[in-house]
Amino acid sequence: MTVAHASWAHENGASRVARGPRAFSLPVAPRGTAFQLEVWRALADIPYGVPVTYGELAHRVGRPGASRAVGQANGANPLPVVI
């Protein structure tokens, strides 16, 4: 990728982010442990553009001391663009 292409890609991505997400419906059935599924459901509840730490997410799923486990579950998310 050339510098010109990289600049265009960055600007194009930035404009998409500024516009916000497009609404869409997509049936998904990710497979994981009960804890991973709980974390992924909590991830899906986060509004677009709102930053949430692993610690905050751990509190939301009722496991305040599990921020590292939440991070691992997030890393195992098979649909990171969707969830």
Side-chain angles (χ1 to χ4, degrees), residues 1-73:
M1 179 182 295
T2 67
V3 174
H5 287 106
S7 176
W8 175 86
H10 175 74
E11 289 172 11
N12 189 31
S15 66
R16 276 196 310 261
V17 170
R19 286 193 310 264
R22 292 184 178 170
F24 62 91
S25 178
L26 177 67
V28 296
R31 294 182 183 176
T33 67
F35 180 74
Q36 287 173 331
L37 293 171
E38 186 176 9
V39 170
W40 299 339
R41 279 190 292 271
L43 284 171
D45 290 339
I46 299 170
Y48 179 80
V50 175
V52 175
T53 67
Y54 293 153
E56 291 174 77
L57 200 54
H59 279 277
R60 291 182 187 191
V61 298
R63 304 270 306 269
S67 59
R68 287 185 181 181
V70 165
Q72 289 178 329

